[in-house]
Amino acid sequence: MPQPRSYTTSVASVYPHYVTKAGKKSRTKDEVDQIICWLTGYSPEQLRSQLDNDVDFQTFFTDAPAMEKILRG
């Protein structure tokens, strides 16, 4: 069975939409990055690397340093 499209979509392709949406709410790109890093455990450098490497959402969340902590509470 094929994976859902959301699994195979690259994070980098959606990221600009997050920044645009945040901007409409008077928030900054740095704030978007801060929230993503807080949720996933990536450092800002690791986040940039994931975006530069065009990883998909499945890989992004599977490799996230702190996702296990978030999912387990």
Side-chain angles (χ1 to χ4, degrees):
M1 185 158 91
Q3 292 183 338
R5 191 169 115 187
S6 60
Y7 285 20
T8 59
T9 301
S10 76
V11 176
S13 70
V14 178
Y15 177 79
H17 300 288
Y18 294 155
V19 174
T20 299
K21 179 76 172 187
K24 290 179 182 179
K25 296 178 180 282
S26 301
R27 300 297 183 179
T28 66
K29 175 189 167 299
D30 289 338
E31 289 174 304
V32 172
D33 290 353
Q34 184 179 19
I35 290 168
I36 293 172
C37 290
W38 176 74
L39 286 171
T40 61
Y42 286 116
S43 69
E45 296 79 18
Q46 290 171 316
L47 172 60
R48 179 59 37 210
S49 176
Q50 292 287 5
L51 295 172
D52 290 344
N53 290 324
D54 210 30
V55 299
D56 58 37
F57 273 96
Q58 182 174 15
T59 303
F60 183 79
F61 288 117
T62 300
D63 292 350
M67 283 306 294
E68 187 173 312
K69 291 178 188 175
I70 291 169
L71 294 175
R72 292 186 183 195

